[in-house]
Amino acid sequence: MENFSGKFTIVAIIGQRGTGKSTLSRIFRQSFNVPNIPIGSLLARDAKKAGKKNVGEYLKDLEKESLHAAVQSLAPDFKRIAERHSAFIVEGLHRPQDYWALRKMFPNAQIHLVSLQTPQQLRIQREMKKRGIDREKAKEDVRGFDEKRNKLGLKTLEGIADQAIRTQGKNPQQVLRELNERLRQQGMQ
């Protein structure tokens, strides 16, 4: 596994589907001029290149090689960003082994694991609006994604998160201010 020994600050944003990970990552990136590594999108890109029908199938093949293969497979993306930036966002880790692989890849980094938490009913409403689907379909999809991500170990990651931010009733800028204040209190510049 590639190892980046420099000093880095990494904000890893985790959470179930519909909690606002992508929105917060985008606003964080724009506000602080730091790049974002969207794990799910990059794995989907690589799965497509490998001719796999979905990310799950791709991950199974990768894990035949190594437990940490998902993050390892993204080493070129991490390297490209690490060569130019000392701080960045990692959006969408769902498995403990990916978090530990990130720690191994960046042994001297200050990694802030931030869990976004939003009630399931609100996430269902967001899915309905975002995808233009009816309530039953949105409910089925959100519950299905919750189940899959929990099986992958998202609950374990949420349990070790440095920060847990409830997003209900807050707009993205309010969530960003809360996160920024908490990170500042932990010594992140």
Side-chain angles (χ1 to χ4, degrees):
M1 177 180 289
E2 185 132 16
N3 182 301
F4 304 97
S5 59
K7 296 283 185 188
F8 293 93
T9 300
I10 301 169
V11 177
I13 300 174
I14 65 171
Q16 292 286 7
R17 183 180 189 139
T19 56
K21 297 179 300 295
S22 297
T23 301
L24 182 61
S25 296
R26 179 178 40 79
I27 293 170
F28 199 97
R29 181 183 73 235
Q30 292 167 345
S31 298
F32 298 103
N33 197 30
V34 294
N36 176 32
I37 298 177
I39 298 292
S41 297
L42 294 175
L43 288 173
R45 173 203 68 195
D46 292 351
K48 186 177 181 179
K49 282 182 188 175
K52 303 300 177 187
K53 61 182 177 184
N54 59 47
V55 172
E57 183 181 305
Y58 179 64
L59 287 174
K60 284 180 186 173
D61 284 354
L62 283 177
E63 288 179 349
K64 290 175 185 171
E65 301 168 28
S66 164
L67 179 64
H68 304 296
V71 167
Q72 265 183 282
S73 75
L74 300 177
D77 296 292
F78 281 105
K79 181 177 183 175
R80 181 177 42 79
I81 288 175
E83 287 172 343
R84 293 185 292 234
H85 301 276
S86 61
F88 55 89
I89 304 159
V90 175
E91 173 201 332
L93 292 175
H94 298 300
R95 304 169 330 148
Q97 60 264 39
D98 295 334
Y99 172 71
W100 296 116
L102 185 65
R103 282 223 172 266
K104 188 174 181 180
M105 193 181 287
F106 294 92
N108 299 322
Q110 185 178 20
I111 299 178
H112 301 275
L113 188 60
V114 179
S115 172
L116 298 184
Q117 300 174 349
T118 306
Q120 191 177 68
Q121 289 304 316
L122 182 55
R123 293 186 292 115
I124 290 168
Q125 290 172 1
R126 288 178 180 171
E127 279 298 300
M128 290 170 56
K129 183 177 178 181
K130 182 178 179 180
R131 296 178 45 218
I133 57 178
D134 67 39
R135 182 168 200 69
E136 286 308 308
K137 176 67 175 148
K139 186 187 292 186
E140 178 185 321
D141 288 356
V142 166
R143 287 182 177 167
F145 273 99
D146 286 1
E147 187 177 313
K148 285 179 188 174
R149 289 181 176 166
N150 289 340
K151 282 182 183 176
L152 291 172
L154 182 58
K155 288 283 184 201
T156 301
L157 277 180
E158 289 174 340
I160 63 171
D162 302 303
Q163 304 291 335
I165 298 177
R166 298 195 184 285
T167 62
Q168 183 177 13
K170 299 174 187 167
N171 68 40
Q173 288 76 18
Q174 290 170 316
V175 174
L176 178 63
R177 279 194 297 276
E178 183 176 340
L179 173 58
N180 187 36
E181 179 60 30
R182 290 182 184 198
L183 293 174
R184 220 169 14 89
Q185 288 172 0
Q186 286 186 330
M188 180 180 163
Q189 302 301 327

